[in-house]
Amino acid sequence: MPRLAYRCAAGAQPTPENSVSYASETRRRRTFAIISHPDAGKTTLTEKLLLFSGAIQIAGAVKGRKASRHATSDWMEIEKQRGISVASSVMQMSYREHVINLLDTPGHKDFSEDTYRVLTAVDSALMVIDAANGVEAQTRRLIEVCRQRDTPIITFVNKMDREVRAPLDILDEVERELGMSCVPMTWPVGQGKRFGGIINLRTQSMTVFEAGSERRPQDFETIPLSETERLRARFGSEFDEAMESMELAVGASPAWDHAAFLAGKQTPVFFGSGVNNFGVMEVLDALVDLAPPPGPRLSSLLVNKQPVEKTVQPDDEGFSGVVFKVQANMDANHRDRIAFVRVASGRYTPGMKLKVQRTGKELRPTSVVTFMSQRREAVEEAYAGDIIGFTTHGGVQLGDTITDGANLQFTGLPFFAPEMFMTVVLKNPLRTKQLQQGLLQLGEEGAIQVFKPDMGGNMLLGAVGQLQFEVVQHRLATEYDCEVRLEGCPYTSARWISADSPQELREFEAAYPTRMAHDAAGALAYLCTSPYDVRLAQERFPKIHFHPLREHA
Ligand code: GDP
């Protein structure tokens, strides 16, 4: 009999006696992102998680949500045409006395920046893998980001009802790609037409597979592993092979170590078939039992104009949160936008006075919403880990810190140096004002990076993926009535610039006047035409710092 891999049902951690009442609210929250390569089954799994938590009643609702989004928003046509998800979304559900916040991530690589930012707002990730394809390109990129942040990852190997790869192979690949040890929590018996079910290592029982999307988790038959003869008689050689490979897998993997999982060094692995509702409940339970509640977040405080690091605890008294995503409202007639804020500490209640740290101005949202599976609702209260949306007419940017008064700025929201540039040429020069407004807003949303060359001339658009240009061109036309032509330009990348003294910076700017530009947040950048530019400039100005990544400051 294999040794028991799954011993710990952690989740809740002890509360210090004197901690404020927010602690119990914070502890029951789980905020995670769902990541996968397109077509691995992310949407299907999301829907089933919502279904089994009771957040939605009927299957098909998540797809329905996608469809209605298309209907209300023209620019989402692009998404429909290409069958990709441009915008990421947020869904909240409750399950076993826990509040679960699920953040979807766009699968297409051209929107990877958006995804990176979503990953800064979560405490764990659920990785969906197509069992026939293993770890695919887009998953690999996402894993890299999770690893940089030591984000704990739960792995779901999907589509076991198809002809797929051997589970040992998949584990091996996940281990190699993730650089984490896999600890199987469930194990498949057979696959494809001969998929018999999964063995649950914790309960030492087998759940029998039946195809169909109507079945609820409790409807599946469960047989204890101790009834070996019965299982053998029913599943034949598949059962023996599964037991054998499971023993190999368990023997080769370390014992389950919850701390190692939290440190991003071990991943629990589950097998199943999302479309058949199978093996999904185990994942939902793992989110509650294993995934961490919100943890502390790093911020910096300005003390005598100098940044000083400060760790914000989720149950700290004061409200604080960070804007990790800004999205144009779906209604094209209104120019309002939703700033998605991940609550980092304290409690949000309606009517609270909030300020935007960057500007020191009061935030006056027209509405504050929470994202249920299919609808938005006015927020009654929110705690660390929750995602709330502030509808505003402006004044909020990606990376902004919102507080109820404390002077702090969260760090860590990344902007990547663009890898491609285009110049924007307006077809009708009378629309200049609209263009500027459009670009400003799209830049603030992070849909694209907008650079204004210091020496004048056309605005530059910088992107990490080609598709971003198309989305922006489309949105400028439909939302701002600005037909633009995008033309190639000599720049191939950019570096944000800083220096230890203003004098050094001035000298640098004077040496490269035609290469200097400011981005939407007002940060100074140096435009490059070849990979050698930075090296040469660095040699000439050794004290200047060139940054390929800008964190919101
Ligand atoms: P996403 O692009 O990752 O969101 O993937 P979807 O959830 O849209 O799924 C892609 C396709 O795979 C759809 O046709 C699903 O019906 C199908 N699919 C999802 N899960 C399973 C599964 O467990 N078994 C099989 N056979 N197909 C599945």
Side-chain angles (χ1 to χ4, degrees):
M1 198 55 55
R3 104 189 111 89
L4 196 62
Y6 178 57
R7 274 186 217 114
C8 155
Q13 270 145 32
T15 324
E17 302 277 49
N18 59 351
S19 72
V20 286
S21 62
Y22 304 159
S24 62
E25 284 296 336
T26 304
R27 268 202 331 262
R28 65 189 194 100
R29 273 158 170 83
R30 300 289 182 272
T31 303
F32 75 101
I34 180 158
I35 61 177
S36 76
H37 191 84
D39 270 349
K42 192 173 56 148
T43 313
T44 308
L45 185 64
T46 300
E47 178 176 281
K48 305 298 170 157
L49 292 173
L50 291 169
L51 196 61
F52 297 158
S53 70
I56 57 171
Q57 303 308 321
I58 43 158
V62 173
K63 301 246 188 244
R65 185 180 60 89
K66 270 189 177 173
S68 67
R69 259 190 356 214
H70 292 140
T72 52
S73 158
D74 249 347
W75 67 271
M76 289 272 185
E77 275 297 314
I78 292 189
E79 172 177 313
K80 195 164 68 177
Q81 282 160 15
R82 294 175 188 259
I84 52 159
S85 167
V86 174
S88 40
S89 50
V90 176
M91 283 157 267
Q92 190 177 72
M93 54 188 135
S94 51
Y95 175 66
R96 283 178 41 199
E97 308 281 303
H98 286 68
V99 177
I100 299 179
N101 296 300
L102 183 161
L103 279 65
D104 191 12
T105 52
H108 197 281
K109 67 176 172 35
D110 283 7
F111 300 100
S112 48
E113 270 209 303
D114 201 11
T115 305
Y116 295 141
R117 295 192 200 111
V118 168
L119 290 174
T120 65
V122 300
D123 304 302
S124 59
L126 170 59
M127 174 172 75
V128 186
I129 288 178
D130 182 327
N133 300 336
V135 179
E136 296 171 86
Q138 186 54 13
T139 322
R140 210 167 285 139
R141 289 170 71 116
L142 295 167
I143 292 169
E144 272 169 35
V145 184
C146 289
R147 293 209 54 203
Q148 274 165 17
R149 307 176 55 83
D150 293 329
T151 308
I153 300 178
I154 294 173
T155 304
F156 181 67
V157 182
N158 192 26
K159 305 198 185 179
M160 289 307 300
D161 59 315
R162 287 207 179 152
E163 295 308 321
V164 294
R165 288 166 47 182
L168 279 172
D169 261 15
I170 297 172
L171 287 202
D172 187 48
E173 185 171 297
V174 172
E175 283 206 349
R176 257 185 296 120
E177 297 284 352
L178 255 69
M180 291 180 187
S181 339
C182 289
V183 181
M185 296 293 169
T186 62
W187 196 256
V189 176
Q191 53 160 272
K193 289 205 177 64
R194 299 183 61 86
F195 182 40
I198 49 172
I199 294 170
N200 187 318
L201 279 90
R202 182 168 61 95
T203 58
Q204 292 289 298
S205 59
M206 177 172 166
T207 307
V208 180
F209 174 72
E210 273 184 78
S213 59
E214 296 308 312
R215 209 161 276 100
R216 295 293 165 134
Q218 59 274 19
D219 300 339
F220 290 110
E221 184 188 2
T222 299
I223 305 172
L225 277 195
S226 51
E227 297 186 22
T228 319
E229 287 316 314
R230 186 176 154 203
L231 289 163
R232 237 182 223 145
R234 188 147 161 202
F235 301 101
S237 60
E238 249 78 32
F239 178 72
D240 284 331
E241 280 165 26
M243 290 299 284
E244 212 171 284
S245 61
M246 179 169 77
E247 284 189 36
L248 275 175
V250 171
S253 59
W256 171 249
D257 174 351
H258 194 241
F261 161 65
L262 295 181
K265 305 218 172 333
Q266 273 192 7
T267 178
V269 182
F270 296 83
F271 291 83
S273 168
V275 80
N276 291 300
N277 301 1
F278 193 74
V280 175
M281 205 59 174
E282 288 75 358
V283 174
L284 193 53
D285 282 323
L287 283 164
V288 167
D289 294 331
L290 307 180
R297 297 177 90 78
L298 255 193
S299 73
S300 63
L301 276 173
L302 279 185
V303 179
N304 298 330
K305 295 192 178 164
Q306 290 302 312
V308 176
E309 257 187 19
K310 176 175 163 35
T311 305
V312 174
Q313 297 295 339
D315 42 13
D316 280 353
E317 197 79 39
F319 171 86
S320 68
V322 61
V323 179
F324 66 95
K325 172 181 166 63
V326 177
Q327 192 175 309
N329 217 345
M330 297 304 159
D331 184 349
N333 297 322
H334 294 100
R335 275 294 144 71
D336 49 3
R337 289 180 283 170
I338 299 185
F340 289 72
V341 171
R342 145 92 197 208
V343 180
S345 69
R347 178 165 81 130
Y348 172 83
T349 48
M352 208 171 189
K353 246 190 167 172
L354 297 173
K355 74 163 183 170
V356 180
Q357 187 62 35
R358 177 178 50 86
T359 57
K361 291 206 176 125
E362 194 185 327
L363 179 73
R364 292 176 182 274
T366 47
S367 71
V368 186
V369 293
T370 181
F371 304 91
M372 306 312 286
S373 51
Q374 289 159 289
R375 57 190 193 280
R376 292 174 188 157
E377 280 182 2
V379 185
E380 278 163 25
E381 55 176 13
Y383 294 90
D386 288 341
I387 311 297
I388 52 182
F390 291 92
T391 308
T392 70
H393 293 294
V396 190
Q397 280 183 11
L398 264 179
D400 272 345
T401 297
I402 315 276
T403 69
D404 59 357
N407 164 30
L408 51 89
Q409 171 70 54
F410 289 102
T411 48
L413 195 85
F415 290 81
F416 297 88
E419 287 160 17
M420 42 189 86
F421 282 92
M422 293 278 204
T423 16
V424 191
V425 183
L426 195 54
K427 289 186 183 163
N428 175 359
L430 294 177
R431 306 289 300 164
T432 306
K433 219 174 108 213
Q434 285 77 2
L435 175 69
Q436 275 169 353
Q437 191 195 11
L439 287 181
L440 178 75
Q441 295 195 345
L442 294 173
E444 283 178 354
E445 272 179 43
I448 196 97
Q449 293 188 43
V450 183
F451 291 84
K452 192 170 187 306
D454 286 7
M455 299 287 283
N458 291 329
M459 296 281 226
L460 291 171
L461 298 186
V464 175
Q466 179 67 30
L467 213 47
Q468 284 179 266
F469 291 123
E470 292 176 38
V471 170
V472 164
Q473 193 173 21
H474 187 90
R475 287 187 58 184
L476 281 174
T478 53
E479 293 172 31
Y480 300 90
D481 197 13
C482 282
E483 294 286 342
V484 297
R485 225 177 30 246
L486 297 181
E487 292 182 352
C489 69
Y491 305 116
T492 50
S493 71
R495 289 290 178 269
W496 284 284
I497 302 295
S498 68
D500 298 332
S501 83
Q503 177 60 23
E504 283 162 10
L505 203 56
R506 273 197 296 276
E507 284 171 16
F508 184 77
E509 288 181 76
Y512 298 100
T514 57
R515 297 294 191 90
M516 306 313 301
H518 282 80
D519 72 6
L524 182 65
Y526 167 71
L527 303 168
C528 315
T529 52
S530 92
Y532 306 110
D533 282 3
V534 178
R535 215 172 66 206
L536 293 174
Q538 182 76 82
E539 279 169 13
R540 210 172 140 197
F541 289 88
K543 287 190 176 160
I544 294 286
H545 308 294
F546 296 83
H547 310 276
L549 188 145
R550 174 169 76 79
E551 287 196 354
H552 191 82

